[in-house]
Amino acid sequence: MAELTQAGPQVRTELADRARRSSEYVLVPAVAVLVSAILFSVFLLFLGKSPAQFVELLWKGGFGSWFSLQNTLVRASPFMLTALCVAIPARLGMVVIGGEGALIMGGFGAAVIAIPMVSWAPAPVILAAMAMAGMLAGGIWIGIVGAVRHYRGVNETISSLLLFYIAVSVLNFFVEGVLRDPSDPNKPSTMPIGRENMIGPMPATDVHWGLAAGIVVCVLLYFLMNRTTFGFAARVTGGNLRAAQAQGLPVGRLVMVSCFIGGAAAGLAGFFEVAAIHGKANASLIAGYGFTGILVSFLARHNPLVIIPIAIFLGGIDASGGLIQRRMDLPDATVLVLQGLMFVVLLASETFYGRYSFFRKSEGT
Amino acid sequence: MGDEGTLATVLLAMFAGAIRVSTPFLFVSLGECLTEKAGRINLGLEGTLVFGAMTGYALSLHTGSPWLGVLAAGLVGCVFGAIHGYLCKLPKVNDIAIGIALMLFGTGAAFFFGKPYIQPQAARLPSIPLGGWSDNPAVQQALEINPLFIIGFFLAVAMWWAFRNTRWGLVVRTTGDSTPAAVALGIDVDRVRLLATTVGGFFAGVGGSFLSLSYPGSWSEGLSSGQGLMAVALVIFARWNPLACFGAAILFGAAGALGPALQSVGISEGYHFFNAAPYILTLAILVVAVSPKRALRGAPSELSITK
């Protein structure tokens, strides 16, 4: 009898236990963000600036009005897509940081395929071809990283970064050479895709469709990584390579496909930069979105769903940069300092996981 | 003139360029080599390099002494190295990820503090003219060697000797090859790695000061073209041997000088392609040199990228 009556509370404690254990993954990053905010405030005070004003301007420039919120959302979309370029390979235990290169190649590939099509094809056909080309170019770019990792054991962090520099050279080589638009005397660019072929804003907003695409891709990849055999196999490989090999999992294919998917997401970001913002490929593609994407993915602990709010948060910081620069007389690199600081503190906070008994399974359950 | 003259010009320009361009590679790779020998990898040296370049330039501008700038660059490099070394000491903290974060933080901080130094002209490091024997002005110009290059050469030799023949060298090598063995010998592994990363940061900072104080010789945000990262690949290519690092740095310098050298004789076609040469070379070297089947000869066994 006594055992039966205990069943109810036991279920409840088990649930509370689970909630307490998973709260570790929310609390530790939250404290890390708070600590970096404090450190950054000290930095500002040291320079004789007001942290309160900084926070106020951050809110005003990033989220405070419909205008600034839209500005934030426009910036959040490439952050989401390039963060996926880090998050998906990260599930296999790889640190890929070349999302910027995949974005450049994606944007370049999209712009190039549009050149012969502009004269005859209708806009939807051109855009579809551009999106495919962008994803393919980005996917192949990071796919190379996966291939040299699997076949040659080359460290993916270094190779992906080298490929970023190579992507910059490839872009400059063509844009300042054979593919240069002769009618544009200012900035070397490819031929424009034409205003009528560009992607417009979503209804009732000034935010282009890249945001919707970013959210959809995040959700899709969350399901791929958490609810499918592929995702499970990938996570097993990331957890223990030997065990995955012993199970007969196709480790090489998993590595390369994951890298391809991540690269394709970043390539899609490049496509939107070309098709919705610049209308052509030029050096403006090299805007550092891929590097912020690394921070986004680490802050989100490589979870595609968590990437969405984090990307919007960092998009807000980015969007308020101009206002902060003008009002507080700080250099535009202020945002970079804040991001770098957050990144360092966040990674250092990894050491606190599993250190406190509060987050552990309670005794006897 | 004709083809022979053109070829000579290209070769001379490449030789001069190799010496100029290789100096930052040399210092960063020696710093990375020391850090990696102790069993840790510091990808943040790129940030250290850029911050060192900014600090060196700023100090040279304010004090008028470029050598003080070099020293200051080295010292801030120490600080960055110490931060990396300290954070990686904490359990569960990944040295590669911390390196990336410090790279972004270092470049961001350098751009932040470097804004006022983009315009003014600071005193640069003097060169030693070794080409006095030649009447040819091109040869004379090519042999204007920076003292840092010579210091770097002797540093490489000294490190090579010290790794083999000194107690300190043995301690560093043991730490990098086997943590349990080092602990059994009573070595404080964390402290050795912290010191190795700190000194490595010093070298990287000095390498950065060369960029802003000698060649290209002024501070700008696009100053570094990833030398700090390529140094990581360069050390692998040099198989963790400081003397080989010197040779590899010269090779990278030559690859980097290829584009400008060809431009000097009017071949500007494909300039950006030649600009990419060092990166393509690095990637090719990695693909050829590394193998998934066996550990690399000379590789410290505790290193996370070769494990």
Side-chain angles (χ1 to χ4, degrees), chain A residues 43 47 95 97 148 150-155 157-159 161-163 165-166 169 172-173 176 291 294 298 330-334 336-337 340-341 343-344 347-348 350-351 353-355, chain B residues 43 46 87 90-93 96-98 100-102 104-105 108-109 111-113 115 225-226 229-230 232-233 236 270 272-273 275-276 279-280 282-283 286-288 290-292 305:
Chain A
F43 174 75
L47 295 170
V95 186
I97 58 172
V148 293
H150 178 66
Y151 290 112
R152 300 300 310 164
V154 176
N155 179 269
T157 313
I158 297 166
S159 67
L161 213 80
L162 289 170
L163 280 167
Y165 287 106
I166 296 174
S169 292
N172 286 333
F173 176 71
E176 292 180 21
F291 291 107
I294 305 170
F298 271 90
L330 286 167
D332 49 358
T334 313
L336 291 179
V337 175
L341 197 64
F343 204 177
V344 175
L347 289 171
E350 300 260 323
T351 190
Y353 286 104
R355 194 178 270 197
Chain B
L43 284 186
E46 174 71 19
L87 290 179
L90 305 169
K92 290 187 194 163
V93 173
I96 291 185
I98 284 281
I100 299 166
L102 279 175
L104 296 178
F105 178 70
F111 294 172
F112 183 93
F113 290 111
K115 252 305 170 306
S225 40
L229 284 156
M230 285 153 77
V232 177
I236 299 172
H272 288 289
F273 176 74
N275 250 353
Y279 312 109
I280 297 171
T282 312
L283 196 59
L286 284 174
V287 168
V288 173
V290 183
S291 161
I305 54 161

Side-chain angles (χ1 to χ4, degrees), chain A residues 13-361:
Chain A
T13 43
E14 212 161 284
L15 270 177
D17 221 38
R18 270 187 74 172
R20 201 177 58 205
R21 263 151 56 206
S22 46
S23 71
E24 184 175 21
Y25 297 102
V26 180
L27 282 176
V28 173
V31 169
V33 170
L34 196 71
V35 168
S36 41
I38 293 170
L39 284 176
F40 190 69
S41 303
V42 172
F43 174 75
L44 286 179
L45 285 173
F46 188 68
L47 295 170
K49 310 277 176 185
S50 151
Q53 193 191 4
F54 185 85
V55 173
E56 189 198 326
L57 292 176
L58 187 71
W59 174 256
K60 216 170 169 182
F63 309 95
S65 67
W66 179 228
F67 173 79
S68 56
L69 186 64
Q70 293 194 90
N71 192 358
T72 295
L73 292 175
V74 168
R75 286 160 201 262
S77 113
F79 290 169
M80 284 176 202
L81 291 167
T82 52
L84 288 170
C85 187
V86 183
I88 304 302
R91 286 299 176 92
L92 285 112
M94 298 168 47
V95 186
V96 170
I97 58 172
E100 182 87 358
L103 183 148
I104 294 169
M105 291 313 287
F108 176 65
V112 168
I113 202 146
I115 295 171
M117 296 177 75
V118 164
S119 55
W120 57 271
V125 176
I126 296 179
L127 286 175
M130 283 175 70
M132 293 301 287
M135 287 196 285
L136 198 64
I140 290 174
W141 207 244
I142 303 299
I144 296 171
V145 172
V148 293
R149 158 80 198 223
H150 178 66
Y151 290 112
R152 300 300 310 164
V154 176
N155 179 269
E156 72 282 354
T157 313
I158 297 166
S159 67
S160 63
L161 213 80
L162 289 170
L163 280 167
F164 156 66
Y165 287 106
I166 296 174
V168 171
S169 292
V170 168
L171 177 75
N172 286 333
F173 176 71
F174 285 105
V175 164
E176 292 180 21
V178 285
L179 291 176
R180 181 170 183 170
D181 174 11
S183 63
D184 187 347
N186 302 319
K187 196 168 193 175
S189 309
T190 57
M191 300 292 281
I193 63 168
R195 192 136 286 280
E196 66 283 2
N197 292 323
M198 283 176 66
I199 295 178
M202 292 190 286
T205 64
D206 288 330
V207 184
H208 65 76
W209 283 96
L211 178 70
I215 293 173
V216 168
V217 174
C218 280
V219 173
L220 282 180
L221 289 183
Y222 173 80
F223 277 100
L224 178 73
M225 298 316 280
N226 292 285
R227 294 282 183 274
T228 64
T229 342
F230 173 84
F232 181 68
R235 282 183 291 139
V236 169
T237 309
N240 189 332
L241 183 67
R242 296 253 163 79
Q245 279 167 335
Q247 287 288 321
L249 289 176
V251 171
R253 213 185 312 150
L254 285 167
V255 164
M256 281 182 280
V257 171
S258 299
C259 284
F260 183 89
I261 293 172
L268 193 63
F271 156 74
F272 278 109
E273 287 302 298
V274 168
I277 295 178
H278 303 301
K280 52 198 166 190
N282 57 30
S284 308
L285 280 174
I286 314 161
Y289 294 137
F291 291 107
T292 309
I294 305 170
L295 175 58
V296 172
S297 183
F298 271 90
L299 266 172
R301 297 191 61 84
H302 311 308
N303 179 334
L305 278 190
V306 184
I307 282 176
I308 300 170
I310 302 279
I312 294 172
F313 172 57
L314 281 172
I317 295 181
D318 205 40
S320 60
L323 189 68
I324 288 166
Q325 190 187 340
R326 283 193 306 275
R327 293 278 188 83
M328 294 182 73
D329 194 25
L330 286 167
D332 49 358
T334 313
V335 172
L336 291 179
V337 175
L338 177 60
Q339 285 182 356
L341 197 64
M342 265 166 66
F343 204 177
V344 175
V345 175
L346 181 84
L347 289 171
S349 76
E350 300 260 323
T351 190
F352 293 113
Y353 286 104
R355 194 178 270 197
Y356 300 105
S357 54
F358 174 74
F359 298 120
R360 254 178 254 140
K361 215 173 168 170

